[in-house]
Amino acid sequence: MNRFTLVATGTLLSLAACQSSDNNKNQLTRQQAQTYLDSYNKTYQDLIYKDNLAQWTLNTRIVKGDTLSQQLADAADKVLAEYTGSKANIDSAQKYLQLKDQLTPLQLRQFEVILFNAGNNPATAGDIVTRRISATNKQLSALYGFKFTLDGKPVTTGHIDEILESSDNLQERRKAWTASKEVGKTLKDGLDSLQYLRNASVTPLGYKDYFDYNAREYGMGEDEVIKLTRQFVTEIWPLYRELHTWARYTLAERYKQPVPDYIPADWLPNRWGQDWSSLVDVKGLSIDSVLKVHGAEWMAHQSEEFYKSLGFDPLPPVFWEKSSLYPVPADSPFTKNNHASAWHMDLANDVRSLESITPTTDYWSTVLHEFGHIYYYMSYSRPEIPVILRSGANRGFHEAFGTMMGLASLQKPFLENLNLIPKNTTTNDTLKLLKEALSYVVSLPWSSGVMTEFEYNLYAKKLPKDQYNQAWWKLVKQFQGIVPPVERGEEYCDAATKTHINDDPAQYYDYSIASVLVFQFHKHIADSILHQDPHATNYWGNKAVGDFLKKVMSPGASIDWRQQLKDDLHTDMSAKPMVAYFSVLMDYLKKVNAGKKYTLPEQPVFE
């Protein structure tokens, strides 16, 4: 063996020894990291379960004057916050993230989530976190414990909604709409306090403000989120402009009034103007009468049957035993949160839904929506997915799958399959598209525009309390083309009448992201799996649809959502599939609106 061979052999042995040493070091780091992660996940799961149990009671049994539920919720929130925001967990997460090259991808994602969780509750914020928790629960109690009145008599929000959806009496409508906004007066000071406390909770770990903090969960900065949501508004604006013009003339005729340049808020069938779909009645597709015969319980159990038909498992017994699915009686000594929601109590098997199911066409899709969340929970609640990664690929994914099921549940072949409408029912398909657009398209300027821009101003730009209502109505006019029916001074806080401003803050763009994803995923299912017209699909009983949904849902947050979109849909996020879905309607509206006055600009205005 010559000298060169000896040198080369020595070099190779040296490299091998280095690689072996590096591998051993990496293996040891991964083992130590995993020991820490196992402990964190176990403790986190225990604490989140206790917290959710306290919140469940706070939301399902609200008794005026009773502060015990709020105190228990405060205490559970505080314990969870102290753990997730502890200096020990922050230090550990930061230490391991500096060693990210030695971690597995799954470990790395967990440490990123741990540090994000800490960002909202850092111990370095002192008593700010405790004060924020208490202020949030106090705000929630004030919102859901509020007693609405109409003509001096107690009234439910459901009755207010019924008036706005069906009454042609403008005086009655104005009274109902005005009554729905009274709760805002009681929430304004609390929102001002929460603005400060939420911002102060997240800045110690380097976030700009509370809006920026929530954006980071998407792997985006606040400016990127605003750019994305404005992109959605821009993409959908020409169609929204046509719908706005159609609605102005239609409503003026309905109420026998001159055509307004902007729509008075009390003319619309929704308290916030976020859904106009009840302006259109599609003959043959209303299933109210059939559902009233079947009843609310049938609706709930039929929703389970739908998911089972796709190949999903039955709901666990705890769902039926512990959920709060039906309205609280009018003479009940307590009230509850009437906003439909799905709960993953222990991030494992305890799944529940909080609803007030009533036998209406709208609630039919709501039930399918909420059950969609439940089955998403169940899909990623498996040993391969760590507890802290048991959530949607991003927050919008959850809403997307629930909303997509709501869309599918109202398409004609689906309804015919369940005998909810007669076979071969003749319908006006253009009118059906119009009804869908008055829900899905109309929601985008509201969610991407009004709600997102208001909370961006509230947290990022520190909007002063004495400008809340002025700023709110400026955005409503700018993005929705809606104006208040009466003077709304700064004694009001009309933004805070929307529950999310109080108890699900700075995340409302999740709904617009979800709406966009709905049409992206629905197009894929219709085109590539069902081979059906996207406007007339029937998901029921198709195991291939179920397999696709399981494939997309089962990873939870263990993989990057952008990569998941590219892998499963071969595209980025865009509202263009929604625009394409309504292309026939766009042509129709242009003909109907020909010669009429347009009052919204040709392109949206961003300030």
Side-chain angles (χ1 to χ4, degrees), residues 103-144:
L103 303 174
T104 68
L106 192 62
Q107 288 176 330
L108 179 60
R109 292 194 70 82
Q110 290 178 78
F111 282 116
E112 289 171 344
V113 171
I114 288 171
L115 194 60
F116 178 82
N117 287 345
N120 196 28
N121 309 301
T124 50
D127 70 340
I128 289 290
V129 174
T130 301
R131 289 165 55 194
R132 188 204 72 221
I133 290 169
S134 179
T136 300
N137 288 327
K138 181 180 179 182
Q139 189 85 335
L140 190 151
S141 294
L143 174 63
Y144 292 113

Side-chain angles (χ1 to χ4, degrees), residues 426-442:
T426 301
T427 58
N428 185 325
D429 292 338
T430 302
L431 204 60
K432 182 178 182 296
L433 268 181
L434 176 58
K435 187 176 183 68
E436 289 177 341
L438 292 173
S439 175
Y440 293 102
V441 177
V442 162

